[in-house]
Amino acid sequence: MDKAALRRALIEERLNLPDRLQRSDLLQQVMRIWLVNRPDTVIGAYWPIKGEFDPLPALHRWKEDGELLDEPQRRRIGLPVVNKVHKTLTFHAWHPGCLMEEDAYGIPKPKDTEVIVPTLLFVPCVGYAPGGYRLGYGGGFYDRTLATLQPKPFTVGLGFTHGYLDDFEPEEFDLPLDGILNDNGLVWPV
């Protein structure tokens, strides 16, 4: 399997999905419903690039909903910041309107906000497969980060239905996700 060619094809398909906005709306709903009974108060996510699903509106709503509970919760959202030396990620507090700057890859990251440790981590999927395996961009940042985080956060991939790969073969260092959500609902675990 030529993973580089597969990535390029899936990204191109995703960028050209004629109904990508409708799929995004559906996945926003799926994500919000899925989060209702989660106990987490610190969630890590990502800044969407290359036509990825944007999890931030649903997470901002989740954060606001925490303030309306009978016993209000201070919920936090973190976005990744790349450590160029170790090629891992740390998560820095994010909220709408916080100052942002570009990282080494041109992706916006929070500027000068505190490091937070998520108990739930949403990761973008270029593609995904049975068993909870994810095809990312090939840099290994999430796998290296998850190998070092203690305690390990609950990991959930986010992607559109077009990214499902029935015959994907994970490599020995690929770590399965704990769950995967797409615009149809929960696809892993089945």
Side-chain angles (χ1 to χ4, degrees):
M1 174 188 310
D2 182 355
K3 284 188 176 181
L6 182 57
R7 280 184 192 95
R8 284 191 301 274
L10 286 170
I11 292 167
E12 185 69 24
E13 284 175 25
R14 184 172 64 200
L15 287 167
N16 292 307
L17 286 171
D19 59 348
R20 191 174 54 175
L21 292 178
Q22 292 87 350
R23 289 173 186 252
S24 289
D25 288 343
L26 290 171
L27 187 44
Q28 289 285 337
Q29 292 173 28
V30 166
M31 194 176 157
R32 286 180 48 206
I33 291 166
W34 186 85
L35 280 168
V36 166
N37 292 316
R38 289 292 308 177
D40 309 278
T41 58
V42 180
I43 296 179
Y46 57 90
W47 190 271
I49 60 170
K50 301 179 183 179
E52 289 174 337
F53 168 72
D54 183 354
L56 299 176
L59 287 176
H60 180 60
R61 180 73 178 266
W62 163 83
K63 182 180 181 306
E64 288 180 326
D65 288 349
E67 297 163 6
L68 301 175
L69 296 173
D70 290 336
E71 295 180 26
Q73 295 178 349
R74 182 166 189 237
R75 293 178 172 178
R76 315 282 311 273
I77 302 165
L79 291 181
V81 174
V82 174
N83 178 318
K84 288 190 251 181
V85 175
H86 298 105
K87 296 192 179 194
T88 57
L89 307 169
T90 55
F91 291 84
H92 290 241
W94 173 86
H95 58 83
C98 80
L99 290 177
M100 302 288 283
E101 63 185 357
E102 287 188 355
D103 69 10
Y105 299 96
I107 301 170
K109 65 177 184 172
K111 181 177 181 177
D112 301 326
T113 62
E114 69 182 290
V115 173
I116 60 176
V117 180
T119 59
L120 170 61
L121 181 59
F122 285 109
V123 296
C125 294
V126 174
Y128 55 91
Y133 290 99
R134 164 188 176 266
L135 177 67
Y137 291 102
F141 289 97
Y142 281 100
D143 287 331
R144 277 191 294 281
T145 300
L146 291 171
T148 62
L149 282 179
Q150 291 301 320
K152 181 184 174 289
F154 192 86
T155 56
V156 178
L158 298 172
F160 298 122
T161 53
H162 93 284
Y164 177 75
L165 304 166
D166 195 34
D167 58 353
F168 181 76
E169 291 291 330
E171 295 179 22
E172 64 185 77
F173 55 83
D174 289 335
L175 299 174
L177 300 169
D178 297 306
I180 298 175
L181 303 176
N182 73 14
D183 38 305
N184 283 337
L186 177 69
V187 294
W188 176 259
V190 183

